[in-house]
Amino acid sequence: MPEGDTVLQTATRLHEALAGQVLTRSDLRVPRFATADLSGRTVLDVTARGKHLLTRIEGGLTLHSHLRMDGAWRVYAPDERWRGGPGHQIRAILANEEHIAVGYRLPVLELLRTSEEDRAVGHLGPDLLGPDWDPGPALDRLRAAPERPLGEALLDQRNLAGIGNVYKCELCFLARVTPWLPVGALPDGALPRLVTLAERLLNANRDRPTRTTTITSELRTPPSPPNATPAQSAPATTPARAPARPRARPPVRVQERLYVYGRARRPCLRCGTPIRLADQDDRPTYWCPGCQSGPTP
């Protein structure tokens, strides 16, 4: 699921493939921009702003895209097979002599003047992965609606940019509160710590191929083997023996990458309570009823 860290990785791949190169092909497969031809122009840079992608092109143009739930950009060599999905899902193609960037299932794709980028991203709060990250304005925006559930407030990109549903669930678990707890009901000092943790987690994952929020591996005890079947009847001369108790198996170290997200009904890594799942604002939301306090559905 694209969030601030994976969008930044996408921007990096696109920048390495396109920046400084002249486009030999452009194909924007959305009705409004279907006739736009960017061929012959140089790509200046590709940057991420929260969960938005800005591809800046010679001549004062910016191609703005957003991946939302399942959009993706893939980069291929000229002779490489495209594997991002069927052809009817392609929304954009940008190519130069060495690379082809293909955008699949892009719900947002628009061409605008670079000087007007604020139309697309001006509403965003401070970018957790941006060079100008400042927690102060983010805290001010979060505190402005103390009655709002924490999970909804974290997802609102106008408060701070980059958090998606995975990080929402994981951050609430690490704060030991449910996503339905109002922002104003957080314990003193908890909100600044949570914002600091959000920035740390996204930065820790900005270069990782697989997102990880667990700090260390967890010691888990594997299930004991099933009890032996009852012993068959023995000859009368042989005294019956009590079935042997299964020997306890030692704990083994298992790497778990996420504490709660995607782990419904599985035991919590910290307390063993089954993880719960419910919708919050039409998004699947995971929490541990043993570790997290606060209201629930």
Side-chain angles (χ1 to χ4, degrees):
M1 180 178 296
E3 305 205 16
D5 51 1
T6 48
V7 172
L8 180 64
Q9 292 175 17
T10 298
T12 300
R13 288 193 297 271
L14 289 173
H15 183 85
E16 291 174 350
L18 300 176
Q21 302 293 320
V22 175
L23 292 174
T24 57
R25 178 186 178 187
S26 76
D27 185 359
L28 307 182
R29 299 182 182 179
V30 293
R32 184 180 175 189
F33 302 105
T35 60
D37 186 6
L38 303 174
S39 300
R41 297 175 185 260
T42 300
V43 174
L44 305 179
D45 69 82
V46 183
T47 190
R49 181 75 171 87
K51 296 192 286 182
H52 297 252
L53 285 164
L54 302 172
T55 302
R56 299 185 178 111
I57 301 167
E58 180 186 16
L61 297 175
T62 294
L63 185 64
H64 166 232
S65 59
H66 195 294
L67 307 181
R68 287 194 181 160
M69 296 296 289
D70 62 349
W73 280 94
R74 300 281 188 262
V75 176
Y76 305 107
D79 58 350
E80 188 177 356
R81 180 184 175 188
W82 299 3
R83 301 178 303 277
H88 70 266
Q89 294 182 350
I90 295 174
R91 296 292 176 267
I93 301 171
L94 300 175
N96 55 42
E97 292 184 353
E98 298 179 359
H99 299 98
I100 303 171
V102 184
Y104 294 89
R105 301 173 299 279
L106 301 175
V108 176
L109 184 70
E110 61 176 340
L111 190 64
L112 63 155
R113 292 285 176 187
T114 302
S115 60
E116 298 176 352
E117 285 180 357
D118 274 358
R119 284 175 35 210
V121 296
H123 66 287
L124 297 176
D127 187 348
L128 285 155
L129 292 174
D132 56 348
W133 161 247
D134 183 354
L139 288 168
D140 291 341
R141 297 183 185 204
L142 289 166
R143 289 170 175 150
E147 74 289 347
R148 193 173 190 188
L150 177 62
E152 293 181 14
L154 291 174
L155 283 181
D156 191 337
Q157 302 300 295
R158 295 170 298 183
N159 292 331
L160 66 173
I163 292 177
N165 204 42
V166 176
Y167 279 114
K168 176 198 80 172
C169 297
E170 296 294 295
L171 287 166
C172 288
F173 174 81
L174 291 167
R176 305 185 71 85
V177 297
T178 69
W180 292 272
L181 184 75
V183 172
L186 282 166
D188 290 344
L191 191 59
R193 290 194 297 270
L194 186 62
V195 169
T196 297
L197 180 59
E199 187 269 338
R200 284 176 50 201
L201 282 180
L202 266 74
N203 266 295
N205 284 289
R206 62 188 296 156
D207 298 318
R208 287 176 178 164
T210 304
R211 183 180 295 126
T212 302
T213 61
T214 51
I215 306 304
T216 59
S217 301
E218 300 285 340
L219 281 177
R220 306 295 300 150
T221 303
S224 298
N227 291 335
T229 56
Q232 296 180 348
S233 299
T237 56
T238 303
R241 291 186 299 176
R245 291 184 178 181
R247 182 175 297 176
R249 301 176 73 184
V252 295
R253 189 169 294 277
V254 177
Q255 176 68 52
E256 295 280 358
R257 296 193 178 277
L258 300 174
Y259 283 108
V260 292
Y261 189 86
R263 302 189 69 250
R265 297 180 296 279
R266 295 172 62 190
C268 172
L269 298 177
R270 289 187 172 174
C271 74
T273 303
I275 300 299
R276 298 283 303 278
L277 169 64
D279 278 353
Q280 183 182 40
D281 198 23
D282 295 326
R283 293 173 181 263
T285 298
Y286 301 82
W287 81 98
C288 172
C291 292
Q292 294 171 256
S293 62
T296 58

